Amino acid sequence: MNRSIKFRVWDKGQNQMSLVSQIHYADDGYAATIIVIPAPKAKYHYYVVDDENGVLMQSTGLKDNTGRDIYEGDIIGFPKRNSINKVIIFERGGFVAKWVDTELEAIKPNDGMPANLESAGSPWEIKGNIFENPELLLLTNNP
């Protein structure tokens, strides 16, 4: 398999999502600094987010039905059905779609989603993400 490994980061200080250019690790193996590529009209070409102010998310390597990369933290659903929105998380060595509450604490059991995103093909549509669109997780917004 030949695919690139991509990351993005939610910058808590700037309240914005950015693609990651470089990750520098500390001796303990945790990300110490994250260098991001800001929006095209930003003042700087790159800026640094430290591990305390950034939430690092990896791409699943899959794309949604419009060709966008699916990342951890994305909220997905089926575009032509009134499906319950799910959140992409990394669990037990793989990416899965789970129904979680708005605090991302209680993962609902028996949600009927395949454990492996690839087993369902590519019918998914990214509806948002947990940082910019938390309202999409409200149970009242789901059928």
Side-chain angles (χ1 to χ4, degrees):
M1 175 168 34
N2 186 14
R3 71 175 178 99
S4 61
I5 298 174
K6 300 177 187 176
F7 290 90
R8 71 180 183 190
V9 66
W10 174 252
D11 183 338
K12 296 175 190 177
Q14 300 289 327
N15 282 332
Q16 72 179 26
M17 192 74 70
S18 298
L19 294 176
V20 172
S21 170
Q22 298 175 30
I23 302 171
H24 298 272
Y25 294 94
D27 291 337
D28 61 6
Y30 289 96
T33 56
I34 303 162
I35 301 175
V36 301
I37 305 167
K41 295 182 181 181
K43 185 176 179 180
Y44 303 103
H45 294 303
Y46 297 95
Y47 69 97
V48 175
V49 177
D50 63 29
D51 190 40
E52 292 180 17
N53 292 314
V55 179
L56 197 58
M57 293 164 274
Q58 185 176 349
S59 170
T60 63
L62 302 173
K63 296 187 181 292
D64 77 350
N65 64 338
T66 65
R68 293 187 298 168
D69 289 320
I70 300 174
Y71 284 85
E72 287 178 87
D74 278 342
I75 299 169
I76 62 171
F78 290 106
K80 297 186 188 222
R81 295 188 220 161
N82 279 339
S83 64
I84 296 172
N85 293 337
K86 310 286 180 168
V87 176
I88 303 298
I89 62 172
F90 189 80
E91 179 179 88
R92 294 185 220 148
F95 294 101
V96 294
K98 290 278 190 164
W99 176 16
V100 299
D101 72 6
T102 55
E103 299 299 318
L104 297 179
E105 292 175 356
I107 296 176
K108 310 296 183 199
N110 303 320
D111 62 6
M113 294 297 279
N116 180 343
L117 284 172
E118 290 184 276
S119 67
S122 297
W124 309 105
E125 175 181 56
I126 297 171
K127 296 186 174 186
N129 65 66
I130 60 174
F131 297 103
E132 296 170 312
N133 315 99
E135 71 279 1
L136 294 175
L137 295 176
L138 295 173
L139 297 180
T140 55
N141 286 345
N142 289 303

